[in-house]
Amino acid sequence: MNIDKDLVAAMATPLVLAILVEGASYGYAILKRVRELSGGDLEWTDGMLYPLLHRLERLGSIRAEWGVSPEGRRRKYYEITEQGTAQLAEQRKQWETANRTLGGLWGLTAPAVGA
């Protein structure tokens, strides 16, 4: 499925913050989690993820710290901050409203697929 870039951009911040609520993570693991959660429909690249992580860090929504993986590799681990948790709660309310609004329209008026 090819998801519109504007929709991908809109969901990027709450998706990354929600993943980090599960626990600290590093870039490649976040990319894998996005792919897993979307059933493979979202295939983010490093070029999309890392600018977002840097922006969220600059804004104080996440913090980053270098660490060592169980395999001994240096990795930059990201974790959500208190500010990021509050931001995610607000964005969740907004997405729930959007989902409820669109679901109300699509659930009542959408023609059957192939009709």
Side-chain angles (χ1 to χ4, degrees):
M1 171 185 298
N2 188 14
I3 299 175
D4 183 80
K5 67 179 181 177
D6 291 335
L7 187 55
V8 171
M11 73 170 85
T13 294
L15 185 51
V16 167
L17 292 177
I19 288 169
L20 294 177
V21 163
E22 298 176 339
S25 192
Y26 56 96
Y28 181 69
I30 294 169
L31 291 173
K32 281 178 47 177
R33 187 71 174 126
V34 167
R35 188 177 318 113
E36 173 189 311
L37 288 166
S38 71
D41 287 336
L42 290 175
E43 290 283 337
W44 287 3
T45 63
D46 292 354
M48 193 237 157
L49 177 64
Y50 287 102
L52 173 61
L53 290 171
H54 295 151
R55 183 176 62 80
L56 291 173
E57 186 178 10
R58 232 181 11 259
L59 294 172
S61 302
I62 65 172
R63 67 177 143 261
E65 186 174 301
W66 285 99
V68 179
S69 73
E71 299 83 27
R73 294 182 58 190
R74 275 193 72 189
R75 289 194 172 129
K76 197 170 195 179
Y77 287 88
Y78 299 90
E79 65 181 332
I80 194 167
T81 63
E82 193 173 308
Q83 178 181 326
T85 302
Q87 179 183 0
L88 177 59
E90 180 57 36
Q91 289 191 347
R92 182 177 179 167
K93 288 179 199 172
Q94 293 174 26
W95 276 98
E96 286 171 348
T97 299
N99 190 46
R100 184 179 62 249
T101 303
L102 289 170
L105 286 171
W106 292 335
L108 296 175
T109 62
V113 175

